[in-house]
Amino acid sequence: MSNLSERELAATIDHAILKPELVRADVDAELDIAAEWGVFSVCVRPSDIAYAVKRLDGTGVAVGTVIGFPHGTTSTAAKTAEVAQALADGASEVDMVVNIGFLRSGFDDAVVDDIRAVVNAAEGRIAKVILETSYLDDDQIARGSRLTEAGGAAFVKTSTGFGGGGASVEHVRLMRASVGPAVQVKASGGVRNLTTALAMIDAGATRLGTSAAATILGEARAIERGDGPTGATDAASY
């Protein structure tokens, strides 16, 4: 299993702050966690982007958001409009949900066109494509990964965390094997402890989406200090 330092592991984490019921005090607490632990980025609800950018100014933590979330069924025009607003509000990365029904239907050209439009709207910022693997069989996951690459996205991502299932090691491996080296894999949904995080990285993920950054990095810190693991948590989706 990978032997990453706390700092190296933090650099893989997009701390998710996406639950619809969160009030501003909850958002503040999660943004503070992200800053305290030095994660790579936060992934916030679109309406929280500008606020998160301001609150995290000077911390080195990037701000990303979601597009077409969580179902992926909004029109391409709506998705690109969301991207334009996200960039105006200061987002540096976008995680779009693929049109799951189109992918399952075999409408490959429409899927690629949808992805490419979002990638173009992102104007050079990192764009990730969420497949929602719990709704797909292995052939659809592999095909969705290839379509993500064809659409020019930088990452293919497992899950929203709201679709009834999260990331699995097997699906991360399949996604990694289905795309070329220029496309990275993000494991998201159910990554809630250090053991799971490292297993996803070993399977080929280079970014982790999780709301459990403090738990994961706290376990890594305890090991670095010689205290041993602090104990795994339940692998429920975020």
Side-chain angles (χ1 to χ4, degrees), residues 14-15 17 30-31 34 39-44 52 56 61-65:
D14 296 339
H15 185 57
I17 312 174
E30 295 301 325
L31 293 172
V39 299
F40 181 83
S41 78
V42 292
C43 189
V44 300
L56 292 172
V61 178
V63 176
T65 194

Side-chain angles (χ1 to χ4, degrees), residues 152-167:
F155 279 81
V156 60
K157 176 178 170 182
T158 57
S159 317
T160 63
F162 294 91

